[in-house]
Amino acid sequence: MSIAEDREEFNNTGLRGLLQQLTKIGEPTYVLELEGGHLGQVIDAKPPLGGGAYIFIKRGSPPLRYANLVEGETPSEYRLFV
């Protein structure tokens, strides 16, 4: 495989590919990160506290990742660059 083919595969598969597809759709969406952080699953609503890391996508805003820790821990949020 060439470098261009590798880059294309990386950008269009796994969690990164899912986020790129959802960004084009533009609907507010929650994506639950699956084990390892390389895959994600679209979910209907914000996961409950302690439900695992998730990403929120909304048109006009960068994707935001939330650690979604258990009660009493300091939550974290940071931008993802897709």
Side-chain angles (χ1 to χ4, degrees):
M1 248 188 205
S2 71
I3 293 174
E5 289 171 332
D6 285 345
R7 183 177 55 238
E8 186 71 23
E9 181 180 345
F10 175 75
N11 287 332
N12 292 308
T13 59
L15 184 58
R16 187 177 183 98
L18 176 61
L19 293 177
Q20 287 206 7
Q21 290 172 7
L22 293 171
T23 301
K24 291 176 186 173
I25 294 170
E27 294 295 320
T29 307
Y30 292 95
V31 176
L32 185 64
E33 284 187 37
L34 301 178
E35 276 190 49
H38 300 292
L39 298 174
Q41 176 184 0
V42 176
I43 53 177
D44 295 333
K46 182 178 176 179
L49 194 61
Y54 68 92
I55 299 167
F56 178 70
I57 300 171
K58 179 179 169 185
R59 176 170 277 172
S61 298
L64 297 173
R65 181 186 184 273
Y66 295 88
N68 198 20
L69 306 170
V70 295
E71 195 169 334
E73 292 181 322
T74 305
S76 64
E77 162 191 319
Y78 64 87
R79 295 172 137 190
L80 295 174
F81 297 98
V82 179

